[in-house]
């Protein structure tokens, strides 16, 4: 169900592109669409442990402006979230056409322009990633049960001739209606504005009143263009013991974390297939009723994040292994994007299938869960498939791993 968009906040409209950011904060998903323009105030910095008390204090002190904080939580629990109170907010139940809410009409009519050459570098490259999966498997095997799962990621750095057109990119990503498309302005780096942009299928947590919902995904298989092959891919995923083990660790961890907060907690549908345009996933919808409506979405994010869908199990051991094996800072990849309000309600998606964009540079991320039985070559392929939606939206392909225009080069949307 959708309702007409309307704006809360100051009467003068903050133009898109103001405050040095080419896109406002935006979430466009099946359950709701939320756009937040500008920055009226920002939440104090601090580790995830203190998020809930900082959010509560913010709303106590901030009597004016829209009743919402929006933004992104990084992967590391020690780093600070970037949450702001926008000047103006629009919230609509259900999915709304991003062209209408983000003033993208010019994009709708525009023939995609080619933007010249761009260079793509894997950090690490596909072989380097396969080696890190091997090392992850060894770490699990030699831990004598102390490490059960580790989610390892790799990144692609795309350097284009011209700055990326984030509006065009957002509109293209939003073409897949099975996911939540998001854009979150990030703190500037060396004076340059950065945006986290992506299209995620995974809900970390939603809390409204006493109701709590989480919809973790783990276990993946590629979609195929041929109908029979696509059904076979889904069937193989549903029959895969390795993928079910990888998935079960996530569901168990979320149930264990939510249980102390909840009066009722259940997985009414069990584990089901969940489809995006490029991947099949195993997914489990978790629904609960909280013991106390005063438990906030920030409390729940601080307890749940990062889940074994993006980190591993146990969390501390997996995070230490990621630090050792990945060799780069995940920053806001594999964190959370969303909103929360003074009543403690909120909705947070897992920030995967995304890129951090700064001018002409885009850093894309993709990870895969590693458990005993994982195969380095298959996990590397899985990350390639996970890059697909973003690369297609940018108008390029990963060199050596799909249709491409030229070795190591491509053309990007602008
Ligand atoms: C960590 C990512 O995906 C997670 C979510 C769904 C399926 C996953 C998997 O099958 O490995 C991952 O746990 C990512 O896309 O970067």
């Amino acid at each position: 169900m959708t309702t007409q968009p309307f704006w809360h906040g100051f009467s003068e409209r903050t133009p898109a592109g103001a405050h040095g950011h080419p896109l406002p904060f935006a979430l466009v998903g099946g359950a709701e669409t939320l756009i937040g323009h500008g920055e009226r105030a920002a939440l104090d910095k601090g580790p995830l442990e203190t998020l809930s008390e900082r959010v509560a204090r913010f709303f106590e002190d901030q009597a004016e402006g829209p009743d919402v904080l929006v933004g992104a939580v990084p992967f590391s629990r020690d780093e600070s979230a970037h949450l702001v109170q926008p000047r103006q907010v629009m919230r609509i139940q259900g999915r709304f056409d991003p062209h209408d809410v983000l003033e993208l009409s010019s994009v709708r009519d525009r023939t995609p322009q080619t933007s010249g050459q761009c260079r793509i570098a894997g950090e690490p490259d596909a072989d380097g990633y396969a080696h890190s999966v091997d090392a992850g498997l060894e770490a699990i095997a030699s831990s004598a049960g102390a490490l059960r799962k580790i989610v390892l990621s790799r990144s692609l750095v795309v350097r284009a001739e011209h700055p990326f057109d984030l509006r065009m990119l957002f509109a293209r990503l939003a073409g897949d209606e099975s996911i939540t498309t998001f854009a979150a302005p990030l703190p500037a780096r060396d004076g340059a504005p950065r945006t986290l942009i992506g299209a995620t299928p995974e809900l970390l947590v939603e809390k409204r009143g006493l109701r709590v919902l989480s919809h973790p995904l783990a276990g993946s298989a590629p979609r195929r263009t041929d109908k029979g092959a696509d059904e076979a891919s889904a069937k193989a995923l549903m029959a895969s013991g390795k993928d079910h083990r990888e998935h079960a660790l996530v569901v168990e961890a979320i149930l264990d974390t939510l249980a102390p907060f909840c009066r009722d907690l259940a997985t009414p549908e069990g584990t089901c297939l969940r489809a995006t345009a490029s991947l099949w996933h195993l997914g489990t919808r978790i629904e609960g009723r909280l013991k106390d409506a005063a438990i906030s979405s920030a409390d729940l994010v601080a307890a749940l994040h990062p889940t074994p869908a993006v980190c591993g199990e146990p969390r501390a051991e997996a995070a230490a292994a990621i630090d050792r094996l990945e060799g780069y800072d995940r920053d806001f990849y594999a964190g959370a994007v969303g909103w929360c309000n003074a009543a403690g309600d909120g909705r947070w998606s897992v920030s995967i299938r995304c890129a951090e964009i700064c001018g002409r540079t885009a850093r894309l991320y993709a990870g895969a869960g590693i458990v005993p039985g994982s195969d380095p070559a298959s996990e590397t392929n899985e990350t390639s498939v996970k890059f697909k939606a973003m690369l297609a939206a940018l108008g390029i392909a990963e060199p050596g791993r799909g249709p491409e225009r030229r070795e190591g080069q491509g053309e990007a949307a602008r």
Side-chain angles (χ1 to χ4, degrees):
M1 194 187 81
T2 58
T3 50
Q4 285 306 305
F6 60 95
W7 293 88
H8 299 274
F10 295 132
S11 51
E12 111 269 12
R13 187 66 205 289
T14 308
H19 312 287
H21 287 295
L23 267 183
F25 176 87
L27 282 177
V28 176
E32 73 176 0
T33 293
L34 188 153
I35 312 294
H37 277 278
E39 180 179 325
R40 192 177 180 280
L43 183 71
D44 297 344
K45 302 279 175 228
L48 192 61
E49 212 58 46
T50 64
L51 179 71
S52 175
E53 60 193 63
R54 283 182 289 124
V55 167
R57 209 173 40 235
F58 179 90
F59 285 117
E60 273 164 31
D61 295 349
Q62 211 66 41
E64 293 183 357
D67 171 27
V68 73
L69 279 166
V70 300
V73 172
F75 171 72
S76 165
R77 293 180 61 87
D78 299 330
E79 301 297 320
S80 187
H82 182 64
L83 299 187
V84 306
Q85 180 190 37
R87 290 188 170 276
Q88 206 170 38
V89 173
M90 183 180 66
R91 260 172 70 186
I92 314 154
Q93 266 188 300
R95 174 177 291 276
F96 219 79
D97 188 337
H99 293 93
D100 294 334
V101 291
L102 285 172
E103 300 164 359
L104 295 175
S105 50
S106 55
V107 172
R108 196 200 307 255
D109 307 330
R110 208 154 91 188
T111 320
Q113 290 177 9
T114 55
S115 62
Q117 300 288 316
C118 62
R119 300 196 165 274
I120 310 176
E123 294 188 5
D125 63 15
D127 287 346
Y129 178 75
H131 283 123
S132 73
V133 173
D134 255 335
L137 283 166
E138 258 178 56
I140 292 171
S142 61
S143 74
L147 179 61
R148 299 160 76 199
K149 172 176 176 178
I150 170 173
V151 181
L152 288 172
S153 72
R154 65 185 178 110
S155 75
L156 291 179
V157 180
V158 180
R159 290 190 178 85
E161 261 182 304
H162 308 285
F164 292 100
D165 181 340
L166 296 190
R167 309 184 140 255
M168 171 86 85
L169 190 55
F170 194 94
R172 288 183 177 178
L173 289 169
D176 181 351
E177 296 203 352
S178 63
I179 41 78
T180 296
T181 309
F182 61 90
L186 298 177
R189 182 175 287 151
D190 302 328
R194 295 183 295 153
T195 303
L196 188 73
I197 186 165
T200 175
E202 186 164 6
L203 176 68
L204 175 63
V205 71
E206 179 185 79
K207 184 263 172 187
R208 287 179 204 251
L210 283 172
R211 205 175 61 86
V212 62
L213 177 66
S214 176
H215 200 147
L217 306 178
S220 310
R223 300 294 308 270
R224 307 282 184 202
T225 34
D226 174 76
K227 194 166 179 286
D230 193 38
E231 282 171 10
S233 184
K235 220 168 143 190
L237 176 62
M238 211 46 189
S240 158
K242 188 277 292 180
D243 286 281
H244 277 276
R245 285 198 306 280
E246 183 182 330
H247 184 77
L249 286 171
V250 184
V251 176
E252 278 164 23
I254 293 179
L255 288 173
D256 287 350
T257 305
L258 290 180
F261 295 103
C262 289
R263 190 176 302 169
D264 312 308
L265 191 61
T267 57
E269 297 156 9
T271 297
C272 306
L273 285 168
R274 174 101 162 67
T276 71
S278 45
L279 283 149
W280 289 106
H281 288 301
L282 296 180
T284 302
R285 189 181 160 90
I286 299 175
E287 294 175 7
R289 223 153 60 92
L290 293 168
K291 287 177 182 161
D292 182 349
I295 296 163
S296 70
S297 81
D299 286 323
L300 299 174
V301 170
L304 288 166
H305 175 72
T307 76
V310 290
C311 181
E313 178 61 25
R315 182 191 284 160
E317 285 75 1
I322 288 170
D323 226 24
R324 206 171 56 244
L325 296 173
E326 277 185 354
Y328 59 80
D329 183 359
R330 286 186 175 191
D331 212 357
F332 285 87
Y333 158 68
V337 281
W339 62 269
C340 56
N341 66 13
D345 290 347
R347 183 179 166 92
W348 299 91
S349 292
V350 183
S351 51
I352 50 174
R353 319 293 149 80
C354 60
E356 179 198 303
I357 303 212
C358 183
R360 299 167 193 196
T361 305
R363 184 182 278 271
L364 287 62
Y365 297 92
I370 312 303
V371 291
S374 293
D375 167 53
S378 315
E379 302 300 338
T380 307
N381 277 338
E382 186 176 311
T383 52
S384 289
V385 179
K386 286 173 175 166
F387 282 131
K388 256 185 169 175
M390 181 63 72
L391 287 172
L394 289 167
I396 52 185
E398 187 183 359
R401 303 192 71 80
E404 66 200 76
R405 296 196 165 95
R406 255 201 251 168
E407 184 61 31
Q409 296 183 317
E411 290 185 339
R414 55 179 292 240

